[in-house]
Amino acid sequence: MPLDTAAIARALATTPGARSEGLETTHSLLCRREAPAFQRAAKAVGPGDRLIVACTQEARLFTELNDATAGATPVAERPIRFVNLRETGGWSLEAKAATPKMAALIAAAQLPDPAPVPGVGYRSAGRCLVVGDADGAQRAGALLADRLEVTLLIDGAAGTGMGSGALAQRRDLPLFAGRLTRVSGWLGAFEVQWSSANPIDLDLCTRCNACLDACPEGAIDFSYQIDLSRCGGHRDCVRVCDAAAAIDFERAPLHTDERFDLILDLRATPAFSQHQPPQGYFHVPPGSRQAAALGEAVLKLRELVGEFDKPKFFRYEQRLCAHSRNEQIGCSACIDVCSTSAIRSDASRKGKAKTEAAGGIVVEPHLCAGCGACTTVCPSGALSFAYPGPVDQGRRLQRLLATYAKAGGRDAMLLFHSEGAGATLIDELGRAARVDRDIQGVPARVIPLALWHTASVGIDLWLAAIAQGASQVRVLLTAEEAPEYRDALAAQMAQAQAILHGLGYAGEHFGLIEARDARDLAALDAALRVAPAQGVAQPTAVIAQADKRATLDVMLDHLLAQAPHRAERAAAQAEPIALPAAGSAFGAVVVDADKCTLCLSCVGACPENALGDNPEKPQLRFTERACVQCGLCATTCPEQAITLVPRLWLADEGRARRQPRVLHEVEPYRCIRCSKPFGTLKAIETMIGKLAGHPAFQGAGAERLKMCGDCRVIDLHSRTDEVRITDLPR
């Protein structure tokens, strides 16, 4: 492949923080004839520096060669970073123009490691439950028994056990029969319950086969369970089993609760319905491909003994959460999108002390798989992805785009893809371009960017990329992504695209690329060859910040300042940009003045302080910048006077949305006795109307409703024409 190392070195030399050492010599067979050059570099680069190899194919070989080289720092102390220049650009019809992209990828690889995050621990002693029919469960149990502590649960057809296969005569493993009723937990901590209603207790059964011989209807087979639909009720089986007492037709259904570390589920319907089941749970349904899938599951299960850990992928700040207030539900975007059921509502006050924080969510880190979709849809930034965090990811974007531009690159498209199936597809596309004339390969302007999960990056970083000079952002989806993630990403991209179009930027800046497997290479190739979209004339040097809303504000300010035909559009800025309702994180609140009583319950419900009052006069104020469109105000309002309007208002160069404005105000209602203001006219009139028929508020009682609190007490004690409770006979 063509490789202009001199041009790459010049680009790196002008990029702050990047270095060009090692580019003096171009290697073409580093993994074979030129391996001594790698060994010399491995010895020269110490623990505090970077060793980068611009090839991913022989990563294992170079790792082993590093540790086998005397004097080289071990990989555990100084990891090697591998950068793919070949499939991402070198194997492309535009390879000669890919130098800026190659420089950008090398520069990004030189960034320091992201900040460490807390870990989540698992402990597995190897207690494994295998549930399925007799044949499948016994076969799987035999493959696992030498490594794991296996228990078999025979879940028979229609709850009878008949037709589920014959049990072996030898009792090698603990075995139960019943219907699985509940499964919860994760690797090392599964809680399992099953119900056994069959008259034969497999734990007591000695498999003497006397009951099979005694049953005239053939209702018992070698599954050692009774088919009650065929049983005649003569109870000959009970008589012959008298010594073991394993058969009892009067026995109440037995509910068993057990804990397991691992579960292998061979039934047609899995115990977990979510897209991503908990770690430690494997579902292998019956079918023509069961043998291959079972073999893969068995290999994984055998290794899951010991202590394990993973990163805690998220950060959560309850004070920013817009999920609930006062047991009223607002935003539930994270709960709805989570494919592992790791997030639940914590809106209820039941069992909580008054000092505990009210509202919010609970995220179970042991169930979290690190997809990050919850952080993408979170409008307030209460949930943020931590592996890596937005600051590290933003620094990476800025380094890529700045280096690309310094090397002469134009109209960059960032292609976000997963480190698994997504990276494999890009490799396949690059390889196909070498042999298929209809495949052109990854274009020179397309910069692939691997993520832990494609759903972990959202609108804040997408808009940051555009503000930093990118022309477009594409997200490559494969079979790995849950359907919820596709919908969420599409909704967020619709928001981002509406904003850019509203600012006057032409073209399609954002899009999803669906490519399920290698058969979609032609479609992927075509999807990457789209016309560039209009970007900013002057990129910003600001990187993404830890706070999502702060990042959005900074990037929106820059995009507004760089908007095409800005002078001509100044008058139009007063008109807000309409946004799709689904997934909107920006918007206004509209109050129906005829309904609103200024009770201010919405102010107490607003988690972001977008709504506020005025201590000096009856007013409802609103700061549009702070609104996340959670809907808590509308849910809480007793008069249903509030409506949400998704939009982005950029009047007065964006300053208008930062200033509080009055949504509704009324004259205060004055006490009929002392003239002190104590409420609003609408509120008092509404209260009087609702209490008009109540016997306690007739005559003088009705007049007291028009008094302030002090005068009401004085009036109660000063009137002599009313009967008091102390005057009543005992």
Side-chain angles (χ1 to χ4, degrees):
M1 65 177 183
L3 193 63
D4 189 347
T5 53
I8 293 174
R10 287 194 298 271
L12 294 176
T14 59
T15 300
R19 297 166 60 179
S20 60
E21 290 94 331
L23 288 168
E24 300 83 4
T25 305
T26 302
H27 301 283
S28 57
L29 285 172
L30 189 64
C31 56
R32 295 293 183 268
R33 186 177 63 230
E34 297 172 309
F38 168 78
Q39 292 179 293
R40 288 192 295 272
K43 289 190 289 185
V45 179
D49 214 330
R50 297 274 179 267
L51 179 57
I52 299 172
V53 178
C55 174
T56 55
Q57 177 176 299
E58 302 295 341
R60 178 177 177 180
L61 172 65
F62 286 123
T63 301
E64 294 175 351
L65 187 58
N66 180 92
D67 288 346
T69 301
T73 304
V75 172
E77 299 177 23
R78 189 260 298 122
I80 304 173
R81 291 192 178 178
F82 297 94
V83 182
N84 186 349
L85 300 185
R86 189 176 67 184
E87 284 83 0
T88 59
W91 280 357
S92 167
L93 293 185
E94 300 179 10
K96 292 183 179 180
T99 298
K101 171 168 57 178
M102 294 180 180
L105 292 172
I106 293 173
Q110 296 178 357
L111 285 168
D113 294 328
V117 297
V120 179
Y122 300 86
R123 178 176 294 177
S124 168
R127 292 197 63 206
C128 179
L129 176 68
V130 179
V131 55
D133 62 33
D135 290 338
Q138 289 179 115
R139 184 168 62 252
L143 296 172
L144 297 168
D146 65 320
R147 175 70 174 164
L148 306 176
E149 184 183 336
V150 178
T151 297
L152 305 182
L153 175 61
I154 308 304
D155 197 326
T160 65
M162 301 299 294
S164 60
L167 298 180
Q169 188 65 40
R170 288 181 52 178
R171 190 194 299 270
D172 293 324
L173 298 171
L175 186 143
F176 301 89
R179 179 67 61 190
L180 202 63
T181 56
R182 183 180 60 84
V183 182
S184 62
W186 49 82
L187 172 65
F190 284 108
E191 300 282 349
V192 181
Q193 183 184 84
W194 65 84
S195 176
S196 304
N198 201 274
I200 297 182
D201 185 339
L202 287 181
D203 192 42
L204 297 176
C205 177
T206 63
R207 305 185 193 179
C208 67
N209 301 312
C211 58
L212 277 73
D213 181 56
C215 182
E217 294 94 356
I220 308 175
D221 62 9
F222 286 119
S223 67
Y224 301 109
Q225 296 284 272
I226 299 175
D227 185 348
L228 297 176
S229 65
R230 298 168 61 182
C231 178
H234 50 76
R235 304 300 186 259
D236 288 349
C237 55
V238 178
R239 177 179 52 80
V240 299
C241 192
D242 181 65
I247 305 177
D248 184 357
F249 283 86
E250 303 301 322
R251 184 190 299 118
L254 179 64
H255 301 285
T256 304
D257 293 279
E258 287 287 348
R259 288 178 61 93
F260 293 94
D261 301 312
L262 305 162
I263 297 177
L264 175 59
D265 192 345
L266 305 177
R267 303 172 302 159
T269 303
F272 295 95
S273 58
Q274 60 263 36
H275 180 269
Q276 179 71 46
Q279 296 186 63
Y281 172 86
F282 297 85
H283 178 237
V284 181
S288 58
R289 302 182 62 183
Q290 186 184 50
L294 178 61
E296 183 179 349
V298 165
L299 289 175
K300 293 178 180 178
L301 281 162
R302 291 173 62 88
E303 299 302 317
L304 292 178
V305 179
E307 295 187 8
F308 307 90
D309 63 74
K310 67 177 183 183
K312 185 179 179 182
F313 292 102
F314 63 92
R315 293 188 180 94
Y316 174 61
E317 291 191 57
Q318 196 273 341
R319 66 180 181 85
L320 298 177
C321 184
H323 171 61
S324 63
R325 285 292 186 277
N326 303 321
E327 300 191 352
Q328 295 291 323
I329 302 300
C331 173
S332 60
C334 60
I335 298 174
D336 297 337
V337 80
C338 182
S339 70
T340 64
S341 299
I343 307 176
R344 60 179 174 83
S345 173
D346 194 33
S348 174
R349 294 289 306 171
K350 184 177 181 181
K352 295 180 182 177
K354 290 184 178 181
T355 55
E356 292 185 73
I361 58 169
V362 174
V363 186
E364 176 47 67
H366 291 91
L367 291 176
C368 175
C371 68
C374 57
T375 67
T376 294
V377 300
C378 179
S380 67
L383 277 169
S384 60
F385 198 70
Y387 188 72
V391 174
D392 291 315
Q393 202 67 273
R395 189 176 292 115
R396 187 182 178 197
L397 292 179
Q398 198 274 340
R399 174 69 67 88
L400 277 169
L401 293 167
T403 307
Y404 178 81
K406 289 179 182 297
R410 298 184 60 187
D411 300 324
M413 176 196 288
L414 291 180
L415 177 62
F416 292 108
H417 63 86
S418 69
E419 295 177 351
T424 300
L425 269 172
I426 291 173
D427 287 350
E428 292 294 332
L429 180 64
R431 184 164 66 172
R434 293 282 293 163
V435 297
D436 189 342
R437 293 184 178 180
D438 294 328
I439 300 293
Q440 299 184 50
V442 182
R445 74 181 189 92
V446 175
I447 306 176
L449 189 61
L451 303 174
W452 177 269
H453 199 287
T454 51
S456 64
V457 169
I459 187 172
D460 52 335
L461 290 174
W462 297 338
L463 290 176
I466 301 298
Q468 290 167 347
S471 167
Q472 289 157 308
V473 171
R474 293 291 185 270
V475 176
L476 176 59
L477 302 181
T478 66
E480 293 176 318
E481 283 81 14
E484 300 94 327
Y485 301 163
R486 288 175 164 78
D487 296 340
L489 290 171
Q492 292 294 301
M493 283 191 164
Q495 298 287 326
Q497 190 62 72
I499 291 171
L500 290 187
H501 280 170
L503 291 172
Y505 292 92
E508 294 300 318
H509 300 81
F510 307 99
L512 303 177
I513 299 176
E514 301 258 4
R516 298 285 180 155
D517 52 42
R519 290 172 294 182
D520 293 331
L521 290 181
L524 173 59
D525 193 56
L528 295 177
R529 301 193 175 280
V530 296
Q534 188 175 14
V536 296
Q538 181 65 43
T540 179
V542 179
I543 66 169
Q545 302 176 42
D547 184 279
K548 182 176 185 175
R549 302 293 292 192
T551 298
L552 287 169
D553 285 341
V554 170
M555 299 309 166
L556 286 172
D557 286 346
H558 186 77
L559 291 168
L560 175 61
Q562 295 287 312
H565 313 295
R566 180 166 171 248
E568 301 170 17
R569 296 179 52 81
Q573 288 176 6
E575 292 297 320
I577 299 171
L579 299 179
S584 178
F586 304 101
V589 167
V590 175
V591 175
D592 187 337
D594 292 333
K595 294 181 179 179
C596 179
T597 63
L598 275 185
C599 68
L600 301 181
S601 59
C602 55
V603 174
C606 182
E608 310 301 327
N609 295 320
L611 289 167
D613 62 351
N614 185 344
E616 304 300 325
K617 60 174 67 174
Q619 282 184 342
L620 176 62
R621 292 179 165 189
F622 176 64
T623 306
E624 189 154 333
R625 172 187 175 274
C627 180
V628 298
Q629 296 285 285
C630 66
L632 273 168
C633 55
T635 304
T636 303
C637 179
E639 313 299 342
Q640 281 79 57
I642 295 179
T643 305
L644 302 180
V645 180
R647 71 178 197 177
L648 180 61
W649 190 38
L650 297 174
D652 191 21
E653 301 295 324
R655 290 185 287 271
R657 62 191 295 266
R658 294 180 168 87
Q659 302 300 319
R661 68 178 190 273
V662 176
L663 292 182
H664 183 43
E665 66 177 323
V666 296
E667 286 297 318
Y669 187 89
R670 298 184 179 278
C671 175
I672 61 173
R673 198 168 187 270
C674 70
S675 298
K676 182 174 70 176
F678 73 97
T680 67
L681 177 63
K682 186 73 174 180
I684 300 302
E685 288 178 345
T686 300
M687 178 176 62
I688 292 173
K690 290 184 176 181
L691 297 176
H694 196 287
F697 298 100
Q698 305 298 318
E703 290 301 301
R704 290 193 192 103
L705 294 176
K706 304 173 185 178
M707 300 178 188
C708 66
D710 293 338
C711 291
R712 196 174 301 138
V713 173
I714 294 172
D715 189 70
L716 277 170
H717 289 276
S718 62
R719 292 185 69 94
T720 59
D721 58 342
E722 290 184 330
V723 177
R724 304 180 184 183
I725 191 171
T726 55
D727 298 332
L728 297 176
R730 297 184 179 180

